[in-house]
Structure formats: C-alpha cells, structure tokens
Amino acid sequence: MFNVIINQQELIRSVITYTPKRGKIVEIGCGSGYVSFLLSKMGYNVTAIDINREVIKSVQKKNCYCSYVNTILADMLNLSLKDNSFDTAFHQGLLEHFDDETIIEALKEQRRVARVVVFDVPNNKYRLGPYNVGDERLLSIKHWKELISRAGLSAIDIQGRGYTKFAYLLPLFIVRRFKAYFTSSTIFVCKRSR
C-alpha cells in the first residue's frame, strides 16, 4: 500500500486539491483500491468501481481492516450512477488501454456523474516496464487534450509524474515550469466545457 501511495502522490494531491472537504469521490477501475482507502481515511466519501467481480470482492474484504469504501460492480461506459452524484471521478492506468472512441465515451460518462475528472496516464515518453500488459497506447499530451475536448471537458490543470532522463539535462527552472512535458506519465484535471 505504501508503494502505491508514494507512486501516486501527485494524483492524490490533484484529487484532494479539486475536491471539497468531505466531498464525494468515485474511483473508476479501482484495482487494489489503496488510493480509495487513503482518501476515505482522509474523510472523503469514496466509491470504488470496477468491472471485475474479483477486484470488487478484494476491495470489500479490505473494508474489514481499512477505512470504509463503497463498491460497485460496473462498466466504465455505463456507471449506473445519477447525474452529478460525485464531486470528483478519478482513475490511474486505465484509459491508455482503449481506442480513442472508447476513451471519449468513458470520459463523457465520467463528466456526467462528476463535477471534476482527474486521471493519470502514461504518455509517449513512457518506457514500458514489468507491470504493463502490452496493449498500452502511449499518446502525446496534445492527443490526450484533443480527446478530452471531444468528450466535452477542458483540461484545467496538467501535472507530470516520473521524470524522463532528458529532464535531468535541463536547468531546474525549465523543468519545474514545464514539468508535465518532461515526465513519462501525465495527470489531467478536467472540468465540463459545455
């Protein structure tokens, strides 16, 4: 759990920054659920969603010894949630596995249920590692911004995670100012544009 949270600290910081205290958060494609449990422990009302029944069962078992997280078995394209029922929807390591049209539909569904959408995806500077399944699409930040726009969202904040080797060759003030462009993963914070 500690490693997951350390690795996801920028994503967690973005979710916290754009969610009101004690707000309602939904994690789409929750996996281990560790980030959801941390947010719940911090006082947020958190729901974890996954399409895999075994993943949901695993998160439910962790409710016994962690803080409480609601769970729902659902597809990201049909969340079975009321419109505007959450302050924030978030996910990490999810959308890069799908084609453009599926990504747009998933973001539209998240836009429908949440005021803010925060997600973390590897970008075209990422080098595949041992945890990758092989179907990741490593898209540029520009391409992600186009998909976000087509889904009726605007990227209001873009952060980076995981510096590339190139970043260490540049002056620190440049890297800090344009951090998202010198990292291998990008965190997008999006709001409705229409």
Side-chain angles (χ1 to χ4, degrees):
M1 183 174 184
F2 180 77
N3 289 338
V4 169
I5 290 168
I6 291 296
N7 190 39
Q8 298 304 322
Q9 63 185 313
E10 290 93 350
L11 174 68
I12 295 165
R13 191 175 301 116
S14 293
V15 170
I16 291 168
T17 299
Y18 291 94
T19 306
K21 289 186 190 241
R22 306 227 178 270
K24 291 182 72 175
I25 298 173
V26 60
E27 181 177 11
I28 315 295
C30 64
S32 69
Y34 289 142
V35 175
S36 285
F37 283 113
L38 174 69
L39 292 167
S40 176
K41 200 108 174 128
M42 295 172 75
Y44 295 97
N45 180 341
V46 183
T47 298
I49 293 179
D50 206 283
I51 195 169
N52 185 317
R53 189 175 306 279
E54 295 307 311
V55 168
I56 292 298
K57 285 181 184 177
S58 173
V59 172
Q60 289 169 340
K61 285 180 187 175
K62 291 174 189 157
N63 272 332
C64 296
Y65 57 91
C66 290
S67 52
Y68 185 77
V69 170
N70 302 307
T71 55
I72 298 174
L73 180 67
D75 186 310
M76 71 176 181
L77 300 176
N78 183 11
L79 295 174
S80 305
L81 300 168
K82 293 179 183 176
D83 292 358
N84 304 311
S85 52
F86 289 88
D87 296 299
T88 305
F90 83 96
H91 45 87
Q92 186 276 328
L94 177 66
L95 294 181
E96 69 272 15
H97 299 282
F98 298 95
D99 62 56
D100 287 1
E101 294 309 313
T102 304
I103 292 169
I104 292 166
E105 290 308 310
L107 289 172
K108 283 180 179 178
E109 181 68 353
Q110 292 165 42
R111 180 191 77 194
R112 181 184 68 76
V113 302
R115 182 180 57 79
V116 174
V117 177
V118 181
F119 67 95
D120 180 348
V121 287
N123 61 42
N124 58 339
K125 296 175 201 79
Y126 185 77
R127 297 295 166 249
L128 296 177
Y131 301 108
N132 301 97
V133 266
D135 66 351
E136 291 86 357
R137 296 176 61 227
L138 305 178
L139 306 173
S140 68
I141 292 174
K142 180 181 177 186
H143 191 89
W144 279 110
K145 287 168 74 174
E146 289 169 8
L147 296 175
I148 290 165
S149 177
R150 288 176 57 196
L153 293 163
S154 296
I156 60 168
D157 191 8
I158 301 173
Q159 296 292 319
R161 181 174 64 81
Y163 284 111
T164 61
K165 291 178 185 176
F166 181 69
Y168 297 104
L169 302 174
L170 297 170
L172 188 57
F173 75 93
I174 291 175
V175 173
R176 283 186 178 151
R177 179 156 185 200
F178 301 101
K179 180 179 179 181
Y181 295 91
F182 296 108
T183 56
S184 56
S185 288
T186 309
I187 300 165
F188 294 95
V189 178
C190 309
K191 283 192 172 182
R192 296 177 187 132
S193 59
R194 51 184 168 202

